[in-house]
Amino acid sequence: MEVGSQLTEQFRTQDAADRTVVASGTSCLDQLDTLLERPATHPLEVIDPSSSA
């Protein structure tokens, strides 16, 4: 959570509002979802969106 909280402000800027947040670990994905109040995506889902189905 400490690392994620340091990144939070970077992802809340107006310039970053439409950027995809990517994290590979389950706990990182969960923590970023909570901290940013928007979903984080696994890198494989960015490469192959059909892999999430």
Side-chain angles (χ1 to χ4, degrees):
M1 288 299 281
E2 183 177 337
V3 172
S5 65
Q6 293 173 11
L7 298 173
T8 301
E9 291 307 314
Q10 293 177 33
F11 288 108
R12 288 192 174 161
T13 65
Q14 190 167 358
D15 291 338
D18 63 345
R19 293 184 184 165
T20 302
V21 179
V22 179
S24 60
T26 303
S27 61
C28 292
L29 287 165
D30 290 341
Q31 291 172 11
L32 288 171
D33 285 351
T34 301
L35 288 170
L36 300 177
E37 299 174 354
R38 65 178 178 167
T41 305
H42 191 279
L44 291 178
E45 293 178 286
V46 174
I47 295 168
D48 181 9
S50 68
S51 68
S52 64

